[in-house]
Amino acid sequence: MPVSTKPPNRVIPVLALAAFACTWLLDLGVVQPNRIVSGTGYGLYAATGWFGAVVVSSLLAVVIVLATKLTPKRFGALILLLTTALMAQPLLLEVFALRKLPEDSAYARIGLGAGFWCLAFFLALMLLETLGRFKASRRLQFSVVLLVVVSWWFCASREGLSSLSLIREYANRADQFSQALTTHLSLSLGAVAISAVLAFGLALAMVRRERLRRPLLGLVSFMQTIPSLALFGLLIAPLGALSAAYPFLQTLGIRGIGWAPAMLALIAYSLLPMVRNTYVALMEVPEPVVDAGRGMGMNERQIFFKVKLPLALPVIIEGVRITTIQAIGLTAVAALIGAGGFGTFIFQGLGQAAMDLVLLGALPTVFLALAADAILSALKFQRAPR
Amino acid sequence: MIELKGVTRRFGDAVAVDNIDLTIETGEVCVLVGSSGCGKSTTLRMINRLLPRTSGEILVDGEDINNADPEALRLNMGYAIQSTGLFPHWTVARNIGVVPDLLKWPARKRDERVSELLTLLGLDPAADAIKYPHQLSGGQAQRVGVARALAGDPNILLMDEPFGALDAITRENLQQEMLRIQRQLNKTTVFVTHDIDEALKLATRIAVMDQGRIIQHDTPEAILRRPASAFVENLIGKGDRGLKLLGLRTVGDVMARHALPSQPEPLAEVLKETDSLRIALSIMVWQNSGELPVFSEAGEAVGTVTREQLLQGGA
Ligand SMILES: Nc1ncnc2c1ncn2[C@@H]1O[C@H](COP(=O)(O)OP(=O)(O)O)[C@@H](O)[C@H]1O
Ligand SMILES: [Mg+2]
């Protein structure tokens, strides 16, 4: 492998040093007497004692040594080491909880400190850098991510972390959480699915009729420029009036606030990236290829399904990917008009100044967006002509 | 047989093809030659109805092509173009098999046909079949384009500057292949080019086009000897038309043949009986000799040719 002849890697040692500095200078965790009060911070040494401090520091030292001269063998070792470190990181919190959580207080809980986030962030960056340098296969990348996610999931469900503030917030709202997950997914994915169908039709119409191109693109671009909160607000009045005039709509749940205006706004926002990508993808199929297909004796249907669509598909999927990520994010905002979803926790948490409740809404939203990104990227990669 | 009778094609007010009459006999190679924009591609594309004609009649084997279903018509006409138009998301094998698939041939028959064509065009039926178009060189891609055009065993072959984008050596090779394949298959072919040398080499008859009209339609020899106008004279080039004439005939036509072929020691540069008189003359000048031995493809000495025979044969 040509990797071994490359100059020494500077990125990983620098990241490791940054991680080292963060763990020693910032608080790893916080002990809070209850969910609102901000509590006392503890650094790595104070939180986990000599043992934790030595483990973390020597791990980072080994990473630096390995990264100074990267042979293929060391790449493997580095990936293994970093993955294990990330997987095991929640254990630091368990040790912290064991040592510092007051036994006598029922409301006391531990919170995540900046040091913990930074350590996770830099470990992840180093892992990404190593996987990138290693030109790791998609399967390896996927396995690494899956291992880390499963491990964190497993740690979170252990007794040792039950005093973690985030988990307390979850435990208090387990039902609401799964309700929010369902609502969030059905709103965002439903909007993407509906707008995908609409966008496909619109793009086809634009391909067939040149005259429709400018007005349609103009319309969907215009909808994109309205601020999301304003669009949600704008839809409240007409939908409210509609459901007041036709009571049967109310039985369907269509009211001025709730899922109906959220869905409409999400669809409106999803149309531009989807229409534009589908249209461009279909128009950019090379003319000689279509000409050859027709000259070979394909009919228009065969040309569309056998040539144009497969060639356009990677770009269309790219549009779906952008739209899905965007819709997952916007659905969080739609909580403001009572649509439900993870945004509910974020705005409740902001109102109560309970940051861990905000995290309970924000983290799954980010996770959903990343998961959608990964899945659709993989799909696009797989569909692209090799 | 393809007949064009008074065929005209307009784009708006511009006349791309102007009332042309052209008959292409079964099994002949008709080359449309002329400078860029003179209406060659338009003429070709009216034959497989990729473009509708404005007026006139186009008959294939006596039937007006407008009476046929356009897809069925095209399935019986191989089509190869300069930019190859290979489907980038399909392997070479699937590209070549597209017409057999459209014709709903059984998979085995199609696969056999694909292998056969890859071999015919000098490609590797195992290694090249599984490649994607972007993995091919320009010459290989064009070979695949020609193989794809031949795959459905069509009666008619339409080729629009298929070798126009290739370098001189690759083009020369593919022209040789075309001649060889045409000798085997005898397809009625309409071949478009702007290169008069390519036309002279491949054509049974040449149609010289200018501004949408056919200026002259005749055999390569007749075009060289009796150009119909100053335009044609210019196109073939006054300076070396004698040499071009020598290029039309092979050594085998004029040489003195031995009673019995013999197997001599191999020589570095040998004259083959399939080489043109032009090549023979070139070798004579180079070696400063008045007489050359002639060899068969198999490497046997089959005769001799003299400078006098050459010049008489060319005259
Ligand atoms: N689709 C088209 N629309 C308008 N004009 C065209 C079109 N196709 C060809 N033409 C015109 O018709 C003439 C002949 O074109 P073409 O047959 O492509 O020439 P050639 O193949 O000999 O280079 C040119 O002047 C060209 O500009
Ligand atoms: Mg042309």
Side-chain angles (χ1 to χ4, degrees):
Chain A
M1 202 169 282
V3 186
S4 53
T5 60
K6 277 184 184 166
N9 184 312
R10 294 214 184 76
V11 182
I12 293 177
V14 167
L15 288 174
L17 282 176
F20 186 79
C22 286
T23 48
W24 282 94
L25 296 178
L26 301 173
D27 288 342
L28 183 79
V30 189
V31 173
Q32 294 169 286
N34 59 50
R35 72 186 284 249
I36 316 286
V37 177
S38 55
T40 348
Y42 292 84
L44 176 66
Y45 171 61
T48 60
W50 274 117
F51 181 68
V54 167
V55 168
V56 173
S57 305
S58 49
L59 173 103
L60 292 173
V62 172
V63 166
I64 292 178
V65 171
L66 281 180
T68 44
K69 192 167 170 291
L70 281 174
T71 59
K73 212 184 223 165
R74 288 186 171 191
F75 261 116
L78 202 54
I79 289 176
L80 201 65
L81 190 64
L82 288 168
T83 311
T84 320
L86 253 170
M87 285 169 66
Q89 205 193 331
L91 292 180
L92 285 178
L93 290 175
E94 248 181 77
V95 177
F96 173 48
L98 212 61
R99 287 169 47 100
K100 295 295 173 195
L101 195 70
E103 298 275 341
D104 47 359
S105 161
Y107 297 111
R109 50 185 62 204
I110 61 168
L112 300 168
F116 183 87
W117 289 121
C118 288
L119 182 60
F121 179 65
F122 286 121
L123 282 177
L125 277 186
M126 285 189 277
L127 193 52
L128 284 181
E129 168 73 14
T130 315
L131 287 170
R133 290 264 170 157
F134 194 47
K135 302 223 161 42
S137 66
R138 292 196 146 246
R139 183 173 295 174
L140 178 61
Q141 295 183 22
F142 181 75
S143 318
V144 165
V145 172
L146 196 69
L147 273 176
V148 172
V149 169
V150 167
S151 163
W152 280 48
W153 192 264
F154 175 70
C155 289
S157 59
R158 276 162 62 93
E159 181 61 29
L161 279 185
S162 60
S163 58
L164 189 66
S165 182
L166 189 60
I167 291 176
R168 287 263 169 102
E169 298 288 357
Y170 169 74
N172 289 340
R173 299 176 174 74
D175 290 345
Q176 289 174 5
F177 188 87
S178 56
Q179 173 79 45
L181 177 66
T182 317
T183 312
H184 207 106
L185 277 181
S186 42
L187 261 182
S188 46
L189 298 189
V192 168
I194 293 173
S195 59
V197 174
L198 279 177
F200 199 70
L202 289 178
L204 274 189
M206 279 158 54
V207 170
R208 296 244 169 88
R209 299 208 184 148
E210 190 63 17
R211 277 186 307 118
L212 290 177
R213 200 180 66 101
R214 303 193 90 229
L216 279 180
L217 267 186
L219 181 71
V220 293
S221 317
F222 169 71
M223 288 196 284
Q224 192 82 359
T225 60
I226 310 173
S228 54
L229 216 46
L231 186 55
F232 287 137
L234 281 177
L235 286 168
I236 292 178
L239 279 175
L242 260 183
S243 74
Y246 303 99
F248 77 93
L249 287 177
Q250 285 176 22
T251 58
L252 296 175
I254 296 177
R255 284 172 296 136
I257 57 170
W259 67 266
M263 185 66 120
L264 284 178
L266 286 173
I267 291 172
Y269 281 117
S270 301
L271 279 178
L272 176 66
M274 213 95 94
V275 169
R276 192 179 44 202
N277 274 51
T278 310
Y279 173 73
V280 168
L282 288 175
M283 289 303 281
E284 277 184 356
V285 174
E287 190 53 40
V289 174
V290 177
D291 187 60
R294 197 169 286 134
M296 293 290 124
M298 288 186 179
N299 59 31
E300 293 309 308
R301 217 183 123 80
Q302 289 163 329
I303 288 173
F304 186 79
F305 285 105
K306 293 189 172 194
V307 180
K308 286 189 173 177
L309 197 55
L311 285 177
L313 211 51
V315 182
I316 297 178
I317 293 176
E318 174 65 10
V320 175
R321 188 183 71 90
I322 297 170
T323 310
T324 310
I325 294 170
Q326 178 186 284
I328 288 172
L330 277 175
T331 303
V333 181
L336 279 179
I337 53 164
F342 289 124
T344 319
F345 298 145
I346 298 180
F347 294 115
Q348 267 180 22
L350 286 173
Q352 302 170 0
M355 286 324 287
D356 288 292
L357 185 51
V358 175
L359 279 184
L360 188 66
L363 286 181
T365 311
V366 172
F367 181 78
L368 283 183
L370 289 179
D373 180 35
I375 292 169
L376 288 166
S377 297
L379 202 61
K380 181 179 94 169
F381 181 79
Q382 195 213 339
R383 297 293 326 180
R386 272 130 295 188
Chain B
M1 189 167 73
I2 308 169
E3 295 160 278
L4 284 76
K5 296 180 178 168
V7 173
T8 295
R9 167 72 206 199
R10 292 195 192 87
F11 291 106
D13 288 337
V15 184
V17 170
D18 191 0
N19 190 25
I20 62 172
D21 294 297
L22 183 65
T23 301
I24 299 142
E25 300 293 343
T26 304
E28 85 165 330
V29 178
C30 172
V31 176
L32 302 180
V33 66
S35 42
S36 176
C38 68
K40 307 181 294 291
S41 298
T42 306
T43 307
L44 193 77
R45 291 161 63 83
M46 284 190 289
I47 296 175
N48 65 1
R49 288 184 61 188
L50 283 176
L51 283 173
R53 61 200 187 224
T54 308
S55 63
E57 256 191 321
I58 301 180
L59 310 177
V60 169
D61 296 332
E63 269 292 310
D64 192 318
I65 57 169
N66 277 9
N67 296 337
D69 169 52
E71 279 89 36
L73 180 82
R74 291 172 196 146
L75 284 173
N76 196 20
M77 294 185 177
Y79 184 55
I81 55 180
Q82 177 171 351
S83 46
T84 73
L86 294 181
F87 303 120
H89 56 309
W90 286 354
T91 59
V92 163
R94 188 144 182 225
N95 264 287
I96 297 176
V98 63
V99 176
D101 276 338
L102 290 171
L103 290 169
K104 302 210 163 48
W105 287 13
R108 251 208 34 225
K109 184 177 170 197
R110 177 201 59 204
D111 294 344
E112 278 167 11
R113 179 72 179 152
V114 169
S115 294
E116 181 191 348
L117 282 166
L118 282 166
T119 312
L120 181 68
L121 281 140
L123 295 160
D124 182 342
D128 290 329
I130 53 172
K131 286 185 180 162
Y132 282 85
H134 72 93
Q135 296 169 308
L136 302 175
S137 70
Q140 286 175 322
Q142 207 46 263
R143 284 168 196 264
V144 175
V146 174
R148 184 173 67 170
L150 290 169
D153 203 10
N155 292 333
I156 292 170
L157 210 50
L158 306 178
M159 310 181 92
D160 194 346
E161 309 207 26
F163 312 141
L166 303 177
D167 63 87
I169 294 171
T170 314
R171 185 174 344 136
E172 179 89 21
N173 283 338
L174 272 160
Q175 287 165 355
Q176 291 297 344
E177 306 269 311
M178 270 307 292
L179 282 174
R180 182 174 60 81
I181 291 168
Q182 180 59 16
R183 271 198 298 272
Q184 279 185 34
L185 305 179
N186 266 310
K187 302 277 181 204
T188 309
T189 306
V190 187
F191 189 106
V192 164
T193 180
H194 61 260
D195 176 0
I196 185 68
D197 290 311
E198 185 167 73
L200 289 169
K201 191 164 183 176
L202 299 180
T204 322
R205 283 195 292 170
I206 296 176
V208 180
M209 289 188 71
D210 183 33
Q211 294 177 10
R213 286 171 216 224
I214 291 181
I215 308 293
Q216 188 171 8
H217 181 212
D218 219 327
T219 60
E221 181 160 355
I223 296 240
L224 281 171
R225 289 188 192 277
R226 297 179 297 276
S229 70
F231 178 84
V232 182
E233 212 166 331
N234 242 339
L235 185 74
I236 57 184
K238 275 188 200 162
D240 63 348
R241 57 180 159 182
L243 289 176
K244 282 180 174 146
L245 216 43
L246 285 178
L248 296 180
R249 303 187 67 182
T250 61
V251 176
D253 295 342
V254 300
M255 70 176 184
R257 202 171 280 275
H258 294 320
L260 272 178
S262 61
Q263 192 77 46
E265 68 279 18
L267 291 170
E269 190 181 11
V270 297
L271 183 64
K272 292 204 281 294
E273 57 180 330
T274 50
D275 284 334
S276 71
L277 299 185
R278 183 179 170 137
I279 290 174
L281 186 65
S282 168
I283 295 177
M284 270 179 200
V285 170
W286 186 250
Q287 299 183 346
N288 193 21
S289 65
E291 186 174 330
L292 287 174
V294 180
F295 297 84
S296 69
E297 289 289 343
E300 297 165 323
V302 287
T304 58
V305 65
T306 64
R307 194 179 303 163
E308 287 66 37
Q309 282 169 326
L310 273 189
L311 299 183
Q312 273 164 19

